[in-house]
Amino acid sequence: MFDRLKDGDLLIDMHPFKVRVRSDIPSLADDICRVYRDFSLADPDSFSDFHVEVSYERGFRRWIKPLARFYFDGRPSFIPLPADQAFPMLEWGINWCVAAHSHQYLIIHAAVIEQGGRALILPAPPGSGKSTLCAALINRGWRLLSDELALYDVEQKLIYGMARPVNLKNRSIEVIQGYSPDTVMTSPVPDTTKGTVALMRPPEDSVRRVAEPALPAWIVLPRYLADSEPLLEKYSKARTFMLIADQSFNYNVHGRSGFDAVGDLVEQCSCYQFTYSRLSDAESILADLLAGAGNAPN
């Protein structure tokens, strides 16, 4: 994989999209090899949904304090960042490509995990512990669909995901390394706009089954609160509707059909707010939810 990126580009199958990646930054190639190891490479001559590039910024700065810039379809996008942030920049850029252009789905800022064909959706603003909880649970038997972008098919009423690497920030990096020592991550990158970040390799089974959608069953709003006892409580469907609409990247693009889609999604699910401080508690309580304790519609 490294040689193909070094010699030109990679066409990575990130179902349901194919992303063509080009770069001249060796560390980015190493990180792709580390966390995209289980993804398939498509025929380089085949169609790609997105053409992206993260390369050194031109000019003398490359030799003093090198910067990297993200390109979409050959056009520079966003401000350049320090070159050691090349891989996080690639991941954030791909998120933007999908969120800004893939309106065949209602796209929600949420983690999604699955067991038994049923999806648990974790929508939440930054700092809620969403990614930490997602990373912990996919290391305990849940299947990863998404850490950042839930793709809701408004016709089929099913959730799809891309099973891409999980974005961990700050203290959550240490927490997941302690909770699941065999986890593979990129080296932490400090001083980004989101603090220190590392990307965690998705489980091989999640990547292998990436084309399998899941039926929405639960919407759980996670809230990390230090030293708190775990509390899973019902959350009103009206407030859940407002949250999902707010966390959707393209709700306004869909117009009336977006309103109906959010309504359908919320009606399909039991809705909860979950306060936690220990991952072991979260694992136990959500296992009970999966087994049927409290999973009747609100």
Side-chain angles (χ1 to χ4, degrees):
M1 189 178 280
F2 171 81
D3 289 339
R4 286 178 63 173
L5 184 57
K6 181 175 64 176
D7 295 338
D9 56 38
L10 294 176
L11 185 55
I12 306 176
D13 189 351
M14 303 182 189
H15 187 88
F17 310 106
K18 289 185 174 66
V19 180
R20 192 177 301 277
V21 180
R22 178 182 292 271
S23 180
D24 60 0
I25 302 175
S27 65
L28 185 143
D30 294 340
D31 286 337
I32 289 176
C33 288
R34 174 174 287 267
V35 296
Y36 278 98
R37 183 195 67 181
D38 299 316
F39 284 71
S40 299
L41 294 182
D43 182 334
D45 295 325
S46 62
F47 172 82
S48 56
D49 296 277
F50 306 113
H51 296 248
V52 301
E53 178 180 350
V54 177
S55 293
Y56 285 116
E57 183 78 329
R58 280 67 169 173
F60 71 92
R61 281 290 301 267
R62 174 171 179 175
W63 311 108
I64 303 172
K65 291 184 178 179
L67 297 175
R69 187 181 282 275
F70 181 87
Y71 297 83
F72 173 62
D73 279 351
R75 297 187 297 271
S77 308
F78 318 121
I79 62 171
L81 296 175
D84 65 352
Q85 298 183 25
F87 188 61
M89 177 188 279
L90 174 66
E91 289 296 292
W92 300 333
I94 292 172
N95 287 344
W96 172 79
C97 289
V98 174
H101 300 92
S102 305
H103 302 311
Q104 64 270 42
Y105 301 102
L106 181 72
I107 304 173
I108 304 160
H109 181 213
V112 186
I113 55 178
E114 174 269 345
Q115 277 205 44
R118 295 178 292 173
L120 188 152
I121 303 163
L122 300 163
S128 62
K130 163 184 67 70
S131 292
T132 310
L133 187 57
C134 172
L137 292 171
I138 63 175
N139 279 294
R140 294 295 188 273
W142 291 78
R143 176 170 70 99
L144 173 69
L145 275 77
S146 167
D147 168 51
E148 290 286 342
L149 303 176
L151 308 175
Y152 182 60
D153 187 310
V154 299
E155 299 294 331
Q156 298 181 357
K157 296 182 172 52
L158 297 172
I159 293 275
Y160 288 82
M162 300 169 69
R164 286 171 50 220
V166 178
N167 193 333
L168 297 172
K169 299 178 283 292
N170 303 316
R171 186 171 175 271
S172 64
I173 298 169
E174 279 183 29
V175 169
I176 293 302
Q177 286 173 329
Y179 190 71
S180 192
D182 294 334
T183 295
V184 176
M185 298 184 191
T186 59
S187 297
V189 178
D191 301 323
T192 77
T193 57
K194 300 184 179 185
T196 298
V197 301
L199 281 296
M200 186 189 93
R201 180 194 294 167
E204 182 179 359
D205 181 66
S206 297
V207 176
R208 182 177 57 82
R209 298 172 57 196
V210 67
E212 296 178 23
L215 183 69
W218 308 279
I219 299 173
V220 176
L221 284 60
R223 185 169 72 104
Y224 174 81
L225 184 61
D227 302 320
S228 65
E229 292 301 312
L231 178 62
L232 182 69
E233 51 190 341
K234 294 273 188 169
Y235 200 75
S236 81
K237 287 186 179 284
R239 294 176 68 185
T240 303
F241 181 103
M242 295 303 294
L243 176 73
I244 294 292
D246 182 63
Q247 293 295 310
S248 170
F249 291 100
N250 59 350
Y251 174 74
N252 60 325
V253 174
H254 283 272
R256 174 59 187 267
S257 65
F259 178 89
D260 292 340
V262 174
D264 290 341
L265 174 62
V266 172
E267 278 304 309
Q268 285 179 272
C269 295
S270 298
C271 305
Y272 299 91
Q273 179 170 283
F274 179 47
T275 304
Y276 75 100
S277 63
R278 294 177 295 273
L279 291 174
S280 56
D281 290 335
E283 180 185 351
S284 174
I285 286 174
L286 295 178
D288 288 343
L289 193 64
L290 175 70
N295 67 346
N298 294 9

